Amino acid sequence: MIEISHVNKWYGPSFQVLKDCTTSVAKGEVVVVCGPSGSGKSTLIKCVNALEPFQEGQIILDGIKVNDPKTDLPKLRARVGMVFQHFELFPHLRIIENLCLAQEKVLGRSHDEAVAKGDKLLERVGLTVHANKYPAELSGGQQQRVAIARALAMDPIAMLFDEPTSALDPEMISEVLDVMVDLAHEGMTMMVVTHEMGFASKVAHRVIFMDKGEIVEDALKTDFFGSPRSERAQKFLSKILSH
Amino acid sequence: MNYNWNWHIFFEPNPTGAGTYLDMLVAGLLLTIKTALLAWVIALIFGTIIGILRSLPSRTASWIGFCYVEFFRNMPLLVQLFLWFFVLPELLPRAAGLWLKQLPNAPFWTAAIGVGLFMSARVAVQLAAGIGSLPRGQKNAATALGLTTAQGYRYVLLPMAFRIILPPLTSEFLNTIKNTSVAITIGLIELTGQARAMQEFSFQVFEAFTAATVMYLAINIVVVTGMRFLERSLAIPGYITGK
C-alpha cells in the first residue's frame, strides 16, 4: 500500500532531516512510528501524501508514485486520510460542514449525500449532538474525533496520524485512541506517529523507531517491545516506559 | 473677527442656477460616495489578488506582490493621481493619449482607479498578514483533504483571513472615502470640491466646510456601523472578532 524507498530530504543546503528511509505499510497493516522529537517522524509521514517534498528516493502509494510531477496530487491526497496534532478543523465551518466540504468540492458528492455520510460518521465517533456547533465550542478530544471523522468521510484507503494525541489533556487521549483502535480492528491501513506505547502494543503490527532522520529499527511489535536490537531504541523505550 | 454667520445660506439658490447651495453639497456628497465605492471595490479586488500572491510559497509570486505593494504605497496619493491624470496620457502613443484625455468623466475614473490602486496595496499587506496569522496546519489540512491550492484559499484560508482583518479593513474603507478628497486637484467636484465652490460663490467658508465635515462624518458613521454589523454577523465563537 505504502512503499517508502531510500527517501532523503534536506532543509536548506546542509541540514538533512531524512536519511535513506526505507519501509513499507501493507494493506490492513497498522504501523506505529516513534522516536524522540526532531527525529523526522512527522516529516516522514508528511512525505507520504506529499505535504512535504523530498529530494531523493521515492514513495509509492497504492501503485502511484507520489514524487512524480505528473501525479495528480490533490486526487491522490483525497484517497489518504490525515489527522494532525492540532486537529486543524476549519474554525469558520460548523462541525457537519467541516465533514462535508471536501466531500462536495473534491469528490463531487451532492450536499445531501455528504451530509448523510457526515451524520453517519459523527454518530460513529459519538458526536451527533454537536453537528451544528463550531470547532471552538468542542473540547480537544472531541475536535480530534471530528478530525478523524472528516478524514474518514473521504472513504480513504489508508490513514495517516501525525501525533494525534500529543496536544490533548490526558483524560481526552483515551477517547481518541478508542476511535483509532476501532479503526485498526476494522482493518484500516494506518501509519501512526505517536508516543502512545499502549496503543502501539495493543494494535500495531509493526513499530518503526526513528532517530536523527534515520529509521533505526523497523520490527514486529513483539520484537520491538521484547528486545529492541538497537541501543538507541532501548534507551528511548526505557525513558518513556519508566514512569 | 468680523464674520457674518449665515446658516440660511444652504437654502439660498446657488449661482449655477440649479437649486440651492445644499443641493450643490449633496451632489458633491453623492459623487464622493460613488467614487469611494468604486475605489473600494477596486482596492478589494486587487488587494485580494496581490495579498494572495504575497502569501504563496512561489518566489515569483511573492516578488510580484512585493513590487506592486512597494510601488503603490511608497508614492504619495497626490503624486499618483497626477501621474495617472497628467503624465500617463503623454507617455502613451499619441492616439491613445488623446483618447484618454477626451474620455468623459476622466477625473472620476482617474480618481476611483487611482485611489483604488493606492488603497489596494494596503489591503494586500493586511490580507497577507491575515493569511500568515493562520496556523500552518490549516493549509496542510485543506491540502491533505485533496483541495487544490485555489480551493484551499477559497474555502479555508480566505474566509478566516478576511474575518481576522475586518477591523483594520474598516479603517481602510474610511481612508478610501477620505482620500477621494485629494481628487479635487484633478478637477473632481466631489464633496470637498463643492464646499470650496460654495465658499468661493458665497464667502460663507465656515458654513460650507462645517456642512462638508458633517457629511463626511455621516458617511463614515454609516460605514462603521455597517462594518460592525458585518463583523457581528460573521463572528465565530472563540475567535478574535467573535462574541
Side-chain angles (χ1 to χ4, degrees), chain A residues 24 26 67 77 79 91 124 152 174-175 178 194 215 219 236:
Chain A
S24 66
N67 52 323
R77 290 186 184 115
R79 300 175 59 208
R124 173 181 174 157
L152 291 176
S174 69
E175 68 187 53
D178 285 346
T194 185
I215 293 181
F236 177 78

Side-chain angles (χ1 to χ4, degrees), chain B residues 31-43 72 77-78 80-86 88 103-120 175-191:
Chain B
L31 190 55
T32 289
I33 293 174
K34 250 169 54 180
T35 315
L37 282 181
L38 182 56
W40 185 236
V41 169
I42 292 171
F72 283 106
L77 178 57
L78 184 65
Q80 291 193 29
L81 288 187
F82 279 6
L83 206 62
W84 302 135
F85 196 70
F86 299 115
L88 183 68
L103 271 183
N105 290 333
F108 168 72
W109 295 108
T110 310
I113 296 171
V115 173
L117 293 180
F118 176 76
M119 295 309 294
S120 72
N175 282 338
T176 306
I177 296 166
K178 289 176 286 185
N179 279 343
T180 56
S181 63
V182 176
I184 191 179
T185 56
I186 56 169
L188 187 74
I189 312 298
E190 37 66 78
L191 185 50

Side-chain angles (χ1 to χ4, degrees), chain B residues 44-76:
Chain B
L44 280 182
I45 294 173
F46 283 83
T48 304
I49 296 169
I50 299 300
I52 291 172
L53 284 184
R54 276 175 76 104
S55 73
L56 287 172
S58 148
R59 281 221 183 136
T60 328
S62 49
W63 190 78
I64 293 171
F66 171 81
C67 291
Y68 180 97
V69 166
E70 298 310 329
F71 180 83
F72 283 106
R73 77 170 170 187
N74 288 330
M75 228 190 305

Side-chain angles (χ1 to χ4, degrees), chain A residues 49 51 74 77-78 80 82 84 88-92 101-102 105-106 134 136-137 150 154, chain B residues 135 137-138 140-148 151 155-156 159-160 163 236-239:
Chain A
N49 62 352
L51 283 184
R77 290 186 184 115
V80 187
M82 184 151 196
F84 298 87
E88 305 303 349
L89 297 179
F90 305 135
H92 61 295
L101 179 69
K105 305 301 173 194
V106 178
Y134 285 96
E137 296 173 293
R150 178 175 72 177
M154 305 295 282
Chain B
Q138 287 283 299
N140 275 344
T143 309
L145 280 167
L147 295 169
T148 60
Q151 286 175 324
Y155 299 112
V156 177
M160 271 318 286
R163 279 177 170 88
I236 299 160
Y239 272 80

Side-chain angles (χ1 to χ4, degrees), chain A residues 180-200:
Chain A
M180 291 170 62
V181 168
D182 281 349
L183 262 184
H185 287 152
E186 280 168 27
M188 174 62 81
T189 309
M190 292 162 73
M191 190 165 170
V192 186
V193 174
T194 185
H195 297 296
E196 293 298 328
M197 288 303 123
F199 172 80

